[in-house]
mmCIF file of all heavy atoms in Angstrom:
data_model
loop_
_atom_site.group_PDB
_atom_site.id
_atom_site.type_symbol
_atom_site.label_atom_id
_atom_site.label_comp_id
_atom_site.label_asym_id
_atom_site.label_seq_id
_atom_site.Cartn_x
_atom_site.Cartn_y
_atom_site.Cartn_z
ATOM 1 N N LEU G 4 47.884 11.026 238.761
ATOM 2 C CA LEU G 4 46.677 10.591 239.503
ATOM 3 C C LEU G 4 45.994 11.851 240.192
ATOM 4 O O LEU G 4 46.627 12.542 240.865
ATOM 5 C CB LEU G 4 47.049 9.562 240.640
ATOM 6 C CG LEU G 4 45.892 9.143 241.641
ATOM 7 C CD1 LEU G 4 44.828 8.476 240.844
ATOM 8 C CD2 LEU G 4 46.459 8.208 242.691
ATOM 9 N N VAL G 12 35.540 19.976 239.027
ATOM 10 C CA VAL G 12 36.954 20.281 239.174
ATOM 11 C C VAL G 12 37.818 19.107 238.611
ATOM 12 O O VAL G 12 38.768 19.394 237.835
ATOM 13 C CB VAL G 12 37.335 20.443 240.664
ATOM 14 C CG1 VAL G 12 38.854 20.601 240.770
ATOM 15 C CG2 VAL G 12 36.628 21.677 241.219
ATOM 16 N N GLY G 36 41.327 6.481 246.052
ATOM 17 C CA GLY G 36 42.500 7.039 245.678
ATOM 18 C C GLY G 36 43.730 6.339 246.321
ATOM 19 O O GLY G 36 44.700 6.183 245.626
ATOM 20 N N ILE G 66 50.493 7.039 252.383
ATOM 21 C CA ILE G 66 51.381 6.639 251.318
ATOM 22 C C ILE G 66 52.840 6.923 251.627
ATOM 23 O O ILE G 66 53.767 6.242 251.267
ATOM 24 C CB ILE G 66 50.998 7.178 249.892
ATOM 25 C CG1 ILE G 66 51.202 8.692 249.895
ATOM 26 C CG2 ILE G 66 49.573 6.812 249.594
ATOM 27 C CD1 ILE G 66 51.002 9.276 248.522
ATOM 28 N N LEU G 81 41.024 25.858 251.653
ATOM 29 C CA LEU G 81 41.610 26.482 252.833
ATOM 30 C C LEU G 81 42.930 27.140 252.477
ATOM 31 O O LEU G 81 43.851 26.594 252.067
ATOM 32 C CB LEU G 81 41.867 25.360 253.901
ATOM 33 C CG LEU G 81 40.631 24.540 254.255
ATOM 34 C CD1 LEU G 81 41.040 23.411 255.190
ATOM 35 C CD2 LEU G 81 39.564 25.431 254.869
ATOM 36 N N ASP G 86 46.969 26.247 257.493
ATOM 37 C CA ASP G 86 46.468 25.123 256.653
ATOM 38 C C ASP G 86 47.512 24.592 255.717
ATOM 39 O O ASP G 86 47.724 23.345 255.485
ATOM 40 C CB ASP G 86 45.214 25.519 255.908
ATOM 41 C CG ASP G 86 44.091 25.864 256.880
ATOM 42 O OD1 ASP G 86 43.839 25.118 257.765
ATOM 43 O OD2 ASP G 86 43.372 26.868 256.628
ATOM 44 N N ALA G 93 52.240 17.153 256.366
ATOM 45 C CA ALA G 93 51.595 15.768 256.131
ATOM 46 C C ALA G 93 52.274 14.931 255.067
ATOM 47 O O ALA G 93 52.113 13.779 254.950
ATOM 48 C CB ALA G 93 50.137 15.903 255.888
ATOM 49 N N GLY G 94 53.168 15.679 254.249
ATOM 50 C CA GLY G 94 53.830 14.996 253.158
ATOM 51 C C GLY G 94 53.596 15.549 251.800
ATOM 52 O O GLY G 94 54.128 15.026 250.892
ATOM 53 N N GLY G 95 52.800 16.577 251.702
ATOM 54 C CA GLY G 95 52.556 17.191 250.472
ATOM 55 C C GLY G 95 53.824 17.986 250.011
ATOM 56 O O GLY G 95 54.604 18.435 250.823
ATOM 57 N N ASP G 96 54.046 18.113 248.681
ATOM 58 C CA ASP G 96 55.176 18.808 248.136
ATOM 59 C C ASP G 96 54.808 20.245 247.715
ATOM 60 O O ASP G 96 55.747 21.073 247.651
ATOM 61 C CB ASP G 96 55.716 18.055 246.916
ATOM 62 C CG ASP G 96 56.213 16.632 247.366
ATOM 63 O OD1 ASP G 96 57.248 16.572 247.932
ATOM 64 O OD2 ASP G 96 55.471 15.726 247.038
ATOM 65 N N ALA G 114 56.994 21.405 237.766
ATOM 66 C CA ALA G 114 58.102 21.802 238.638
ATOM 67 C C ALA G 114 58.384 20.652 239.624
ATOM 68 O O ALA G 114 59.559 20.366 239.947
ATOM 69 C CB ALA G 114 57.819 23.119 239.372
ATOM 70 N N ARG G 118 61.848 18.482 239.960
ATOM 71 C CA ARG G 118 62.579 18.395 241.212
ATOM 72 C C ARG G 118 62.822 16.932 241.636
ATOM 73 O O ARG G 118 63.845 16.587 242.063
ATOM 74 C CB ARG G 118 61.816 19.188 242.266
ATOM 75 C CG ARG G 118 62.557 19.349 243.579
ATOM 76 C CD ARG G 118 61.632 19.799 244.661
ATOM 77 N NE ARG G 118 60.868 21.007 244.304
ATOM 78 C CZ ARG G 118 59.798 21.376 244.923
ATOM 79 N NH1 ARG G 118 59.372 20.761 246.011
ATOM 80 N NH2 ARG G 118 59.156 22.422 244.540
ATOM 81 N N ILE G 140 76.982 6.880 235.056
ATOM 82 C CA ILE G 140 78.242 7.594 235.268
ATOM 83 C C ILE G 140 79.099 7.579 234.013
ATOM 84 O O ILE G 140 79.579 8.618 233.533
ATOM 85 C CB ILE G 140 78.988 6.948 236.481
ATOM 86 C CG1 ILE G 140 78.087 6.963 237.687
ATOM 87 C CG2 ILE G 140 80.286 7.758 236.720
ATOM 88 C CD1 ILE G 140 77.592 8.293 238.120
ATOM 89 N N LEU G 160 66.915 9.526 225.397
ATOM 90 C CA LEU G 160 65.626 8.968 225.155
ATOM 91 C C LEU G 160 65.570 7.554 225.792
ATOM 92 O O LEU G 160 64.497 7.264 226.475
ATOM 93 C CB LEU G 160 65.419 8.791 223.631
ATOM 94 C CG LEU G 160 64.115 8.134 223.127
ATOM 95 C CD1 LEU G 160 62.856 8.865 223.600
ATOM 96 C CD2 LEU G 160 64.178 8.038 221.606
ATOM 97 N N TYR G 163 65.190 7.877 229.625
ATOM 98 C CA TYR G 163 63.786 8.177 230.061
ATOM 99 C C TYR G 163 62.912 6.943 229.976
ATOM 100 O O TYR G 163 62.040 6.629 230.934
ATOM 101 C CB TYR G 163 63.211 9.306 229.204
ATOM 102 C CG TYR G 163 61.871 9.735 229.626
ATOM 103 C CD1 TYR G 163 61.683 10.576 230.696
ATOM 104 C CD2 TYR G 163 60.684 9.251 229.012
ATOM 105 C CE1 TYR G 163 60.430 10.960 231.175
ATOM 106 C CE2 TYR G 163 59.448 9.601 229.489
ATOM 107 C CZ TYR G 163 59.333 10.502 230.527
ATOM 108 O OH TYR G 163 58.027 10.868 230.959
ATOM 109 N N VAL G 172 54.789 5.442 227.665
ATOM 110 C CA VAL G 172 55.221 6.812 227.558
ATOM 111 C C VAL G 172 54.682 7.324 226.210
ATOM 112 O O VAL G 172 54.867 6.802 225.111
ATOM 113 C CB VAL G 172 56.814 6.931 227.565
ATOM 114 C CG1 VAL G 172 57.269 6.525 228.931
ATOM 115 C CG2 VAL G 172 57.468 5.989 226.480
ATOM 116 N N VAL G 195 61.728 8.734 214.215
ATOM 117 C CA VAL G 195 63.146 8.534 213.737
ATOM 118 C C VAL G 195 64.024 8.010 214.833
ATOM 119 O O VAL G 195 64.768 7.016 214.605
ATOM 120 C CB VAL G 195 63.649 9.808 213.099
ATOM 121 C CG1 VAL G 195 65.158 9.667 212.835
ATOM 122 C CG2 VAL G 195 62.892 10.188 211.844
ATOM 123 N N ILE G 197 63.099 6.515 217.750
ATOM 124 C CA ILE G 197 62.692 5.247 218.204
ATOM 125 C C ILE G 197 63.213 4.183 217.203
ATOM 126 O O ILE G 197 63.686 3.096 217.604
ATOM 127 C CB ILE G 197 61.184 5.164 218.360
ATOM 128 C CG1 ILE G 197 60.811 6.010 219.559
ATOM 129 C CG2 ILE G 197 60.816 3.693 218.555
ATOM 130 C CD1 ILE G 197 61.133 5.457 220.977
ATOM 131 N N SER G 198 63.061 4.455 215.934
ATOM 132 C CA SER G 198 63.516 3.533 214.922
ATOM 133 C C SER G 198 64.977 3.222 215.028
ATOM 134 O O SER G 198 65.525 2.077 214.969
ATOM 135 C CB SER G 198 63.231 4.051 213.487
ATOM 136 O OG SER G 198 63.714 3.217 212.453
ATOM 137 N N SER G 211 62.538 -8.634 221.809
ATOM 138 C CA SER G 211 62.458 -7.247 221.584
ATOM 139 C C SER G 211 62.058 -6.490 222.876
ATOM 140 O O SER G 211 61.224 -7.003 223.650
ATOM 141 C CB SER G 211 61.434 -6.854 220.488
ATOM 142 O OG SER G 211 61.846 -7.443 219.280
ATOM 143 N N VAL G 216 52.682 0.997 221.310
ATOM 144 C CA VAL G 216 51.253 0.902 221.640
ATOM 145 C C VAL G 216 50.523 1.878 220.698
ATOM 146 O O VAL G 216 50.613 3.015 220.817
ATOM 147 C CB VAL G 216 51.016 1.339 223.141
ATOM 148 C CG1 VAL G 216 49.535 1.203 223.450
ATOM 149 C CG2 VAL G 216 51.841 0.538 224.072
#
Side-chain angles (χ1 to χ4, degrees):
L4 172 61
V12 175
I66 65 170
L81 304 175
D86 294 318
D96 298 284
R118 188 192 312 165
I140 305 300
L160 177 59
Y163 183 79
V172 291
V195 170
I197 289 291
S198 178
S211 296
V216 181

